[in-house]
Amino acid sequence: MDRSSRIKGVLAGGSDGWEVFHRSRAMIAAGVPVTELTIGEHDIRTAAPILQEMHRSALGGHTGYAAVPGTDALRDRIAKRAEERTGVPTTRDNVVVTPGGQAGLFAAFMAVCDPGDAALYIDPYYATYPGTLRAAGARAVAVEARADHGFLPRRADLEAAAGGAKALLINTPNNPTGVIYGRETLEEIAQVCQDHDLWLVSDEVYDTQIWEGAHLSPRALPGMAERTLVIGSMSKSHAMTGSRCGWIIGPEDIIADLIDLATHTNYGVPGFIQDASDYALAQGPAFEEEISAPFARRRALAQRVLSTQNVVRSVPSQGAMYLMLDIRATGLSGSEFADALLEDQHIAVMPGESFGAAAAGHVRVAMTIEDNAFEAALRDLCRFAEGRASRAA
Ligand code: PMP
């Protein structure tokens, strides 16, 4: 039976970029000890009080169909948090709750793109982006943010791609690079969006993981609230990846459309998950800081390890739970390096190429294992890179 060209086009015949991850999981299943630094998954589990609230809510009967847009309480909580963080007036009518940020991204592009419309995204990118845009029917167009420009998009490149496009997707703090877009970059992006009448979809799921500088939501820039959809999630900020709870914040009319879409797709998010999310958000910034603290600590450890050698160079990591390492001095591509590191050292990292052409010659390291093991793995990685570099020389 033939399948739709949409579904066959999600990966556009390419790979999903997760080969090293799949191989390392297969090695682990075969009993080989592998140090896993691939996926953006915390090494802690969802905190017990959040699970107790989930349990209380479920036992209390919140197990039927929940309000499709999200419960009033959770939408109010998300709106209040957004308003406090950005200064942009926000009410529950600006919020729809989604089954995670990933579903929010898909829904956002369903809402802003017609089939075949160009949707721009920045390369390096979170591995699912192009497939998500294509699944929503859009034509995914990459705009490179080059390593020699600090992985920040340049206005001229955005301008060159923006003519006739419908939307631009950005992500700050950024996965995979760890870069945070500063005010100047965001103002340029806002100007391009306004000049070319683009929707801006701003993926801010790492907005609590800030190691340097500050997170600025582009929705707060003049003239942007009416053309910005912000993607948020409980996954990274509250170690709730498995709960599948996220949201979209945007103008009331498109949020109403997105609620109609939710009625015809996921039909809401389980009530007990929403109650637990509301409880988690009510714990405030101190709790969010506690969840992000291990990554801040490991980033400091990594900086110390990396300062002892000069083969592996770190891209300044300002936020998010990853390090992007430039391994070009080894003479290997990111994929060759990741393959050899897994083979030789049983350490799994993501090749930069999994995140686009602009990240070639890099690897992404997730800071998601216990501090001592993380430091040891990074030391082994550096020693391995030094060996390869001297072989290449
Ligand atoms: N955006 C980015 C940049 C991500 O890294 C992720 C998850 N790794 C997501 C969105 C989706 O997260 P979730 O669906 O768990 O909210």
Side-chain angles (χ1 to χ4, degrees):
M1 286 297 288
D2 201 12
R3 294 160 289 136
S4 72
S5 41
R6 178 191 284 114
I7 203 79
K8 287 188 290 192
V10 170
L11 293 185
S15 83
D16 64 359
W18 290 94
E19 291 80 9
V20 174
F21 171 73
H22 295 313
R23 220 173 43 254
S24 83
R25 285 286 153 107
M27 285 167 76
I28 292 168
V32 181
V34 174
T35 304
E36 261 280 5
L37 303 172
T38 48
I39 197 172
E41 176 84 271
H42 310 70
D43 50 322
I44 54 164
R45 304 289 80 190
T46 303
I50 299 175
L51 298 177
Q52 276 151 6
E53 176 57 21
M54 207 179 279
H55 188 233
R56 190 205 58 75
S57 167
L59 281 180
H62 207 170
T63 52
Y65 291 123
V68 169
T71 63
D72 288 350
L74 180 58
R75 291 168 81 206
D76 286 346
R77 178 89 60 197
I78 292 165
K80 181 164 170 277
R81 180 172 178 270
E83 184 167 317
E84 280 168 6
R85 293 168 71 98
T86 62
V88 185
T90 308
T91 73
R92 75 169 71 138
D93 295 328
N94 300 112
V95 178
V96 59
V97 174
T98 61
Q102 186 63 55
L105 285 163
F106 175 71
F109 281 91
M110 287 295 282
V112 299
C113 285
D114 281 314
D117 279 344
L120 312 181
Y121 65 102
I122 311 297
D123 171 355
Y125 52 85
Y126 172 48
T128 66
Y129 277 1
T132 302
L133 305 186
R134 287 191 290 259
R139 192 159 51 83
V141 178
V143 177
E144 278 203 20
R146 296 158 47 115
D148 62 13
H149 197 248
F151 287 122
L152 294 171
R154 293 189 317 181
R155 180 173 181 158
D157 296 331
L158 290 169
E159 289 282 357
K166 202 64 179 288
L168 166 64
L169 168 58
I170 64 167
N171 169 222
T172 178
N174 188 267
N175 175 12
T177 64
V179 165
I180 292 181
Y181 292 6
R183 180 174 290 275
E184 197 183 333
T185 300
L186 290 170
E187 282 176 351
E188 286 179 359
I189 287 169
Q191 200 55 56
V192 171
C193 289
Q194 290 178 27
D195 290 350
H196 295 271
D197 202 21
L198 302 183
W199 280 99
L200 181 64
V201 179
S202 180
D203 179 344
E204 303 181 20
V205 304
Y206 293 101
D207 68 350
T208 60
Q209 299 182 358
I210 311 294
W211 326 132
E212 255 175 48
H215 171 68
L216 173 62
S217 174
R219 179 166 175 260
L221 295 177
M224 290 308 288
E226 63 258 39
R227 60 172 69 248
T228 303
L229 294 176
V230 174
I231 307 296
S233 173
M234 298 303 292
S235 289
K236 312 295 178 175
S237 55
H238 293 76
M240 291 178 69
T241 50
S243 289
R244 313 310 303 134
C245 187
W247 56 85
I248 307 173
I249 298 176
E252 288 181 18
D253 51 357
I254 195 165
I255 292 296
D257 294 336
L258 283 160
I259 292 167
D260 289 340
L261 179 66
T263 303
H264 295 86
T265 52
N266 51 275
Y267 210 85
V269 170
F272 50 91
I273 298 284
Q274 295 196 59
D275 288 343
S277 299
D278 184 31
Y279 170 88
L281 286 170
Q283 305 314 301
F287 180 73
E288 295 171 8
E289 217 172 292
E290 211 177 291
I291 300 296
S292 69
F295 308 120
R297 238 177 22 236
R298 291 166 199 161
R299 171 180 173 270
L301 280 177
Q303 285 179 323
R304 231 172 300 142
V305 171
L306 292 164
S307 72
T308 62
Q309 52 82 58
N310 49 25
V311 171
V312 179
R313 290 196 8 246
S314 171
V315 172
S317 78
Q318 299 151 328
M321 59 216 285
Y322 313 99
L323 294 175
M324 191 65 135
L325 301 179
D326 179 347
I327 50 84
R328 284 175 289 185
T330 61
L332 300 176
S333 70
S335 300
E336 290 165 343
F337 185 91
D339 282 342
L341 187 70
L342 181 59
E343 209 58 45
D344 258 53
Q345 303 287 316
H346 297 174
I347 297 173
V349 298
M350 291 295 285
E353 290 84 355
S354 297
F355 308 102
H362 291 71
V363 293
R364 189 196 74 172
V365 174
M367 301 188 281
T368 47
I369 59 171
E370 178 276 321
D371 295 21
N372 291 326
F374 178 72
E375 186 174 355
L378 214 55
R379 281 192 198 287
D380 290 345
L381 182 153
C382 288
R383 215 170 302 124
F384 172 78
E386 284 172 302
R388 288 299 168 126
S390 59
R391 243 202 255 176

